[in-house]
Amino acid sequence: MKSFTYRSTSKKPALLVALLLLTALVIFSSAAQAQDPRLPRASAESVGMSAQRLARFDALADEYVDSGRIAGVVVLVVRDGKVVYETSHGVQDVATGQPMRSDSIFRIASQTKLVVSVAAMILVEEGRLLLDEPVASYIPEYAETSVAVLEGDEVIIKAANRPITIQDLLTHTSGIPGGDPRLLADQYAEASLTQGKGQLNFLDEPVDAMARRLAKLPFAAQPGEEWVYGYSTDVLGAIIERVSGMPLDEFFRSRIFAPLGMPDTYFFLPPEKEQRLVANHALSEAGGVIRASDEDPSWDGQGAFVRGPRRLFQGSGGLLSTAQDYARFLQMLLNGGELDGARIVSPASVRLMTVNHVGDLYARDFPGMGFGFNVEVKLDPAVAGYEVPALASPGAYGWGGAVYTRFWVDPAQDLIGVFMTQTRPTTGDLHQKFGNIVYGAIVSPVP
């Protein structure tokens, strides 16, 4: 019997190999894109800005680093949904000299509050939360709250004249103070609710327990009568946990960070990313910046954000993030609640969050400015706000963090600015100069 070898003249095997290679390339490309959290890049000129004018910040940042006013800085500018300027200067840690990186991770402190606002609006849109509902509907301890009033030289404790609502928490009109209430320092210190005790994150208890303990203390103002910056957002975080049935970190991760492609934003950092965490710095009495003490809890520790108890997720100031991650979050808001096909909230919610809700309460301290859901809002084009740049358009909104991070969003200019350093106390003016440089680089509308 003859043997033979079959040799096909068909091109199917070659086509199959080519198809497999193409499929592998597509999969690899998709995976690479999924791992790249950055917004698209474009030249400044393509979106009506001047690269030469933006570069003015480089020399200024170097001057601030060299003169010892900051250890380092990362800034990022987005227009028309594209990053047109991103730069890093100085070091992450003056003790080690580790260079600052574009993906360095910062304590963003009170910039956490805007994320909580978005989380609350997700639940509002799902019909699980109402803005005018009393806080006591979710945390019964808030059914009867009290207020400390100074009458002459005597502190008088009075009953609150109405219930605190969810909207009061979002706008800081609840009367709930922060870590250093002017009339109640001893009571708050005894309850482990002062800044001298360090970040709330590092308490070994859930935020719900902290919120219930807080309810027993007198507050600083009657609901709706003053703008009082404090622990309101922590109480709101406890409500989000109760309504959603999830810890706040899990809700953020599943409903906001993962859909938006924010891989470096956490309450507590995975150990493998610790080398990118920027050290806290302080201003030295002799001049220059120094690394803050690891032992001083008021500086939030240098490693506690990695090795902390991981039980309390502080809605008022606990997140870590990068300039790139936070820019994606802000671009979602600028887009009306959506980014790259991920719808987080509706345009209606974004509009509601970014208008003035407090009448003239915020303007008493910052004339011409209003306050939305955890953001300062520019109302008068002739004034400069605390957070929003002087040259920003009416309707621009922004906020910042206690360890010197800042952001703003200007819908009229389709513009986002992100500024990240890590120095406390925050006494610098570099973020204001950064804002002026950015607006000075706008030479035409977006084409």
Side-chain angles (χ1 to χ4, degrees):
M1 186 174 182
K2 292 184 177 180
S3 64
F4 64 91
T5 302
Y6 176 77
R7 295 183 179 177
S8 172
T9 58
S10 169
K11 297 181 179 179
K12 288 182 179 179
L15 289 172
L16 181 59
V17 171
L19 182 60
L20 290 172
L21 288 172
L22 181 60
T23 302
L25 182 62
V26 169
I27 292 172
F28 176 81
S29 176
S30 298
Q33 290 176 3
Q35 293 170 0
D36 187 351
R38 299 176 300 174
L39 290 165
R41 264 52 179 170
S43 68
E45 283 71 19
S46 69
V47 295
M49 300 185 75
S50 164
Q52 183 178 9
R53 283 173 165 256
L54 283 169
R56 292 168 173 169
F57 182 77
D58 292 318
L60 185 64
D62 286 339
E63 176 189 329
Y64 271 62
V65 170
D66 293 343
S67 62
R69 282 179 275 184
I70 59 171
V73 63
V74 175
V75 299
L76 187 148
V77 178
V78 183
R79 198 177 198 207
D80 191 30
K82 305 173 186 70
V83 176
V84 296
Y85 180 68
E86 182 179 23
T87 187
S88 59
H89 296 260
V91 297
Q92 286 190 172
D93 187 339
V94 293
T96 65
Q98 183 181 355
M100 190 70 80
R101 305 163 37 152
S102 62
D103 64 349
S104 290
I105 298 171
F106 296 82
R107 301 159 187 80
I108 62 171
S110 287
Q111 290 180 208
T112 306
K113 292 179 171 72
L114 184 56
V115 183
V116 177
S117 298
V118 170
M121 293 312 300
I122 289 173
L123 296 176
V124 168
E125 290 186 355
E126 292 177 349
R128 304 165 74 184
L129 200 62
L130 289 173
L131 295 175
D132 61 355
E133 277 185 296
V135 170
S137 298
Y138 302 95
I139 307 178
E141 286 83 352
Y142 285 81
E144 295 182 4
T145 59
S146 60
V147 177
V149 178
L150 186 63
E151 294 185 357
D153 295 329
E154 188 176 1
V155 177
I156 306 297
I157 306 302
K158 295 185 175 182
N161 56 19
R162 70 163 175 82
I164 297 169
T165 67
I166 302 299
Q167 187 155 335
D168 290 329
L169 299 178
L170 284 161
T171 58
H172 293 275
T173 55
S174 67
I176 299 173
D180 298 299
R182 59 184 184 273
L183 302 179
L184 305 163
D186 291 342
Q187 296 95 317
Y188 277 68
E190 187 176 345
S192 297
L193 291 171
T194 68
Q195 299 297 348
K197 297 290 184 179
Q199 286 277 141
L200 293 182
N201 293 52
F202 310 144
L203 294 176
D204 194 9
E205 64 180 0
V207 70
D208 184 78
M210 169 265 169
R212 287 186 286 109
R213 189 168 72 254
L214 179 65
K216 300 175 184 177
L217 298 171
F219 297 150
Q222 292 286 356
E225 292 188 2
E226 293 185 34
W227 187 85
V228 179
Y229 195 57
Y231 290 138
S232 289
T233 321
D234 296 302
V235 178
L236 185 57
I239 292 171
I240 290 168
E241 289 194 342
R242 288 195 175 201
V243 173
S244 69
M246 299 181 190
L248 197 59
D249 67 332
E250 184 180 333
F251 189 89
F252 281 3
R253 176 64 47 195
S254 62
R255 302 301 302 274
I256 300 173
F257 301 155
L260 291 180
M262 298 170 61
D264 289 326
T265 305
Y266 303 89
F267 280 103
F268 294 95
L269 203 60
E272 64 270 18
K273 296 189 178 186
E274 184 176 8
Q275 74 278 5
R276 288 196 279 137
L277 179 61
V278 179
N280 262 323
H281 293 92
L283 299 176
S284 167
E285 293 182 2
V289 290
I290 57 174
R291 193 181 199 272
S293 168
D294 289 351
E295 285 73 38
D296 185 350
S298 67
W299 293 104
D300 313 336
Q302 299 290 8
F305 275 104
V306 182
R307 293 172 288 278
R310 295 175 178 257
R311 293 193 66 202
L312 191 153
F313 306 111
Q314 186 184 3
S316 69
L319 282 176
L320 309 165
S321 192
T322 63
Q324 295 169 358
D325 267 20
Y326 208 78
R328 289 188 65 84
F329 175 73
L330 297 175
Q331 188 64 51
M332 174 273 293
L333 293 174
L334 186 53
N335 290 351
E338 178 274 339
L339 181 66
D340 294 342
R343 169 67 63 186
I344 307 300
V345 289
S346 68
S349 286
V350 177
R351 285 195 299 270
L352 184 66
M353 290 170 57
T354 56
V355 297
N356 182 36
H357 285 267
V358 301
D360 65 352
L361 296 183
Y362 187 76
R364 293 174 186 176
D365 293 321
F366 304 101
M369 308 300 291
F371 199 79
F373 289 178
N374 283 303
V375 285
E376 178 185 77
V377 181
K378 184 167 185 174
L379 305 178
D380 186 343
V383 301
Y386 181 66
E387 308 290 358
V388 176
L391 299 178
S393 313
Y397 55 91
W399 202 240
V403 203
Y404 206 7
T405 61
R406 296 288 186 272
F407 76 86
W408 82 89
V409 177
D410 190 333
Q413 291 289 348
D414 200 358
L415 182 72
I416 292 168
V418 179
F419 174 96
M420 299 279 202
T421 63
Q422 209 81 124
T423 306
R424 191 173 179 183
T426 302
T427 57
D429 58 8
L430 184 58
H431 70 288
Q432 296 166 325
K433 294 178 179 178
F434 168 61
N436 292 340
I437 286 171
V438 171
Y439 279 93
I442 298 174
V443 294
S444 69
V446 174

